[in-house]
Amino acid sequence: MVMSKYEYSMELLTAMACTTIAERHNINRINAFDKFMQSKTAQMLFDEETAFWCNGPDYIADEYDRELMANAHRA
């Protein structure tokens, strides 16, 4: 399978953002990856039409944290 440059970018950004998420939340990277991939932030990242992949890994991690905070306030 040949990945497009967009898919490669999305996967690389996911790995980098999950490293940041793991450090911020004091969890391992696999756990961070699993949680991230279940998020709306990940859905936005892997949707080529949103161009969310144009943002850096720290911005993506910040958006994930904003999503978590919004979900906590709704609960």
Short mmCIF file of all heavy atoms in Angstrom, two decimals, residues 3 5 7 11 13 17-18 20-21 24 28 34 38 40-41 44 48 52-54 59 61 68-69 74-75:
data_model
loop_
_atom_site.label_atom_id
_atom_site.label_comp_id
_atom_site.label_asym_id
_atom_site.label_seq_id
_atom_site.Cartn_x
_atom_site.Cartn_y
_atom_site.Cartn_z
N MET A 3 1.09 5.17 0.72
CA MET A 3 0.39 6.25 1.42
C MET A 3 0.57 7.56 0.66
O MET A 3 1.63 7.81 0.11
CB MET A 3 0.94 6.44 2.83
CG MET A 3 0.47 5.44 3.82
SD MET A 3 0.77 5.97 5.53
CE MET A 3 2.53 5.97 5.61
N LYS A 5 0.91 11.68 0.61
CA LYS A 5 1.66 12.59 1.48
C LYS A 5 0.77 13.10 2.61
O LYS A 5 1.24 13.39 3.70
CB LYS A 5 2.26 13.74 0.70
CG LYS A 5 1.25 14.63 0.02
CD LYS A 5 1.92 15.71 -0.80
CE LYS A 5 0.90 16.54 -1.54
NZ LYS A 5 1.53 17.54 -2.38
N GLU A 7 -1.75 11.32 4.10
CA GLU A 7 -1.87 10.22 5.07
C GLU A 7 -0.59 10.10 5.90
O GLU A 7 -0.66 9.92 7.11
CB GLU A 7 -2.16 8.90 4.35
CG GLU A 7 -3.53 8.85 3.72
CD GLU A 7 -3.69 7.65 2.79
OE1 GLU A 7 -2.73 7.31 2.07
OE2 GLU A 7 -4.79 7.07 2.79
N GLU A 11 -0.43 10.60 9.97
CA GLU A 11 0.10 9.58 10.88
C GLU A 11 1.29 10.11 11.68
O GLU A 11 1.41 9.84 12.88
CB GLU A 11 0.46 8.33 10.11
CG GLU A 11 -0.78 7.61 9.61
CD GLU A 11 -0.49 6.29 8.95
OE1 GLU A 11 0.64 5.76 9.08
OE2 GLU A 11 -1.42 5.75 8.32
N LEU A 13 1.88 13.29 12.46
CA LEU A 13 1.34 14.25 13.43
C LEU A 13 0.66 13.54 14.59
O LEU A 13 0.75 13.99 15.73
CB LEU A 13 0.36 15.20 12.74
CG LEU A 13 1.02 16.26 11.87
CD1 LEU A 13 -0.01 16.92 10.97
CD2 LEU A 13 1.73 17.28 12.72
N ALA A 17 1.77 14.18 18.32
CA ALA A 17 0.78 14.72 19.26
C ALA A 17 0.57 13.75 20.43
O ALA A 17 0.45 14.18 21.58
CB ALA A 17 -0.55 14.99 18.55
N CYS A 18 0.57 12.45 20.16
CA CYS A 18 0.36 11.47 21.23
C CYS A 18 1.54 11.45 22.20
O CYS A 18 1.34 11.20 23.40
CB CYS A 18 0.11 10.09 20.64
SG CYS A 18 -1.54 9.96 19.91
N THR A 20 3.18 14.13 23.06
CA THR A 20 2.88 15.29 23.90
C THR A 20 1.75 14.99 24.87
O THR A 20 1.83 15.32 26.07
CB THR A 20 2.52 16.51 23.02
OG1 THR A 20 3.62 16.80 22.17
CG2 THR A 20 2.16 17.72 23.85
N ILE A 21 0.70 14.36 24.39
CA ILE A 21 -0.45 14.00 25.24
C ILE A 21 0.00 13.07 26.36
O ILE A 21 -0.40 13.25 27.52
CB ILE A 21 -1.57 13.36 24.39
CG1 ILE A 21 -2.18 14.42 23.45
CG2 ILE A 21 -2.64 12.72 25.27
CD1 ILE A 21 -3.06 13.84 22.35
N ARG A 24 1.88 15.12 28.97
CA ARG A 24 0.99 16.01 29.71
C ARG A 24 0.11 15.28 30.72
O ARG A 24 -0.19 15.79 31.79
CB ARG A 24 0.06 16.76 28.76
CG ARG A 24 0.73 17.82 27.95
CD ARG A 24 -0.28 18.50 27.06
NE ARG A 24 0.36 19.49 26.21
CZ ARG A 24 -0.28 20.17 25.28
NH1 ARG A 24 -1.57 19.98 25.10
NH2 ARG A 24 0.36 21.05 24.56
N ASN A 28 1.34 6.31 29.28
CA ASN A 28 2.25 5.83 28.25
C ASN A 28 1.72 6.19 26.86
O ASN A 28 0.54 6.51 26.69
CB ASN A 28 2.55 4.33 28.39
CG ASN A 28 1.35 3.45 28.10
OD1 ASN A 28 0.67 3.62 27.09
ND2 ASN A 28 1.10 2.50 28.97
N ASP A 34 -4.34 5.29 21.96
CA ASP A 34 -5.68 4.68 21.99
C ASP A 34 -6.75 5.71 22.31
O ASP A 34 -7.79 5.77 21.65
CB ASP A 34 -5.75 3.54 23.02
CG ASP A 34 -4.97 2.32 22.58
OD1 ASP A 34 -4.68 2.18 21.37
OD2 ASP A 34 -4.65 1.49 23.45
N GLN A 38 -9.79 7.66 19.57
CA GLN A 38 -11.23 7.60 19.84
C GLN A 38 -11.85 8.99 19.91
O GLN A 38 -13.06 9.13 20.10
CB GLN A 38 -11.49 6.85 21.14
CG GLN A 38 -11.07 5.39 21.07
CD GLN A 38 -11.22 4.71 22.41
OE1 GLN A 38 -12.10 5.03 23.18
NE2 GLN A 38 -10.35 3.76 22.67
N LYS A 40 -12.80 13.09 18.81
CA LYS A 40 -13.24 13.88 17.67
C LYS A 40 -12.06 14.62 17.04
O LYS A 40 -12.05 14.88 15.85
CB LYS A 40 -14.32 14.87 18.10
CG LYS A 40 -15.62 14.18 18.44
CD LYS A 40 -16.70 15.17 18.80
CE LYS A 40 -17.95 14.38 19.16
NZ LYS A 40 -19.06 15.25 19.50
N THR A 41 -11.07 14.92 17.86
CA THR A 41 -9.87 15.58 17.34
C THR A 41 -9.19 14.68 16.32
O THR A 41 -8.76 15.16 15.26
CB THR A 41 -8.91 15.92 18.50
OG1 THR A 41 -9.60 16.71 19.46
CG2 THR A 41 -7.70 16.68 18.00
N MET A 44 -11.07 14.75 13.08
CA MET A 44 -10.77 15.96 12.32
C MET A 44 -9.41 15.84 11.64
O MET A 44 -9.25 16.24 10.48
CB MET A 44 -10.78 17.20 13.22
CG MET A 44 -12.15 17.59 13.70
SD MET A 44 -12.21 19.19 14.55
CE MET A 44 -10.93 19.06 15.78
N GLU A 48 -9.34 14.72 5.41
CA GLU A 48 -8.54 15.58 4.52
C GLU A 48 -9.23 16.91 4.23
O GLU A 48 -8.57 17.91 4.00
CB GLU A 48 -8.23 14.86 3.21
CG GLU A 48 -7.22 13.75 3.35
CD GLU A 48 -6.85 13.12 2.03
OE1 GLU A 48 -6.82 13.83 1.00
OE2 GLU A 48 -6.60 11.90 2.02
N PHE A 52 -7.06 19.98 8.93
CA PHE A 52 -6.57 20.07 10.31
C PHE A 52 -5.14 19.56 10.41
O PHE A 52 -4.38 19.98 11.27
CB PHE A 52 -7.51 19.27 11.23
CG PHE A 52 -7.32 19.52 12.69
CD1 PHE A 52 -7.48 20.78 13.24
CD2 PHE A 52 -7.00 18.46 13.53
CE1 PHE A 52 -7.30 21.00 14.59
CE2 PHE A 52 -6.83 18.68 14.89
CZ PHE A 52 -6.98 19.94 15.42
N TRP A 53 -4.74 18.71 9.48
CA TRP A 53 -3.39 18.15 9.46
C TRP A 53 -2.35 19.23 9.15
O TRP A 53 -1.16 19.01 9.33
CB TRP A 53 -3.29 17.01 8.45
CG TRP A 53 -3.72 17.40 7.07
CD1 TRP A 53 -4.98 17.31 6.55
CD2 TRP A 53 -2.90 17.97 6.06
NE1 TRP A 53 -4.99 17.80 5.27
CE2 TRP A 53 -3.73 18.21 4.94
CE3 TRP A 53 -1.56 18.31 5.97
CZ2 TRP A 53 -3.26 18.76 3.76
CZ3 TRP A 53 -1.08 18.87 4.79
CH2 TRP A 53 -1.93 19.08 3.71
N CYS A 54 -2.79 20.41 8.74
CA CYS A 54 -1.86 21.52 8.49
C CYS A 54 -1.32 22.12 9.78
O CYS A 54 -0.36 22.89 9.75
CB CYS A 54 -2.55 22.62 7.68
SG CYS A 54 -2.90 22.15 5.98
N TYR A 59 -0.46 22.01 18.64
CA TYR A 59 -1.81 22.53 18.44
C TYR A 59 -2.83 21.39 18.49
O TYR A 59 -3.90 21.52 19.10
CB TYR A 59 -1.93 23.27 17.11
CG TYR A 59 -3.30 23.86 16.89
CD1 TYR A 59 -3.62 25.11 17.40
CD2 TYR A 59 -4.29 23.15 16.21
CE1 TYR A 59 -4.88 25.65 17.23
CE2 TYR A 59 -5.55 23.68 16.05
CZ TYR A 59 -5.84 24.93 16.55
OH TYR A 59 -7.09 25.45 16.39
N ALA A 61 -2.49 18.50 20.05
CA ALA A 61 -2.58 18.07 21.45
C ALA A 61 -3.41 19.06 22.26
O ALA A 61 -4.21 18.65 23.12
CB ALA A 61 -1.19 17.91 22.05
N LEU A 68 -11.28 17.24 25.75
CA LEU A 68 -11.44 16.55 27.03
C LEU A 68 -12.11 17.47 28.05
O LEU A 68 -13.01 17.03 28.80
CB LEU A 68 -10.09 16.09 27.58
CG LEU A 68 -9.40 14.94 26.88
CD1 LEU A 68 -8.09 14.61 27.61
CD2 LEU A 68 -10.27 13.72 26.81
N MET A 69 -11.69 18.73 28.10
CA MET A 69 -12.27 19.67 29.05
C MET A 69 -13.75 19.92 28.74
O MET A 69 -14.58 19.99 29.66
CB MET A 69 -11.47 20.98 29.05
CG MET A 69 -10.13 20.83 29.73
SD MET A 69 -9.02 22.27 29.67
CE MET A 69 -10.06 23.63 29.94
N ARG A 74 -19.54 18.72 30.26
CA ARG A 74 -20.86 18.20 29.89
C ARG A 74 -21.32 17.07 30.78
O ARG A 74 -22.49 16.83 30.92
CB ARG A 74 -20.82 17.70 28.44
CG ARG A 74 -20.83 18.81 27.45
CD ARG A 74 -20.96 18.28 26.05
NE ARG A 74 -20.14 19.12 25.20
CZ ARG A 74 -19.34 18.70 24.27
NH1 ARG A 74 -19.24 17.43 24.01
NH2 ARG A 74 -18.62 19.53 23.58
N ALA A 75 -20.36 16.37 31.36
CA ALA A 75 -20.69 15.18 32.18
C ALA A 75 -21.23 15.56 33.54
O ALA A 75 -21.24 16.57 34.06
CB ALA A 75 -19.45 14.32 32.36
#
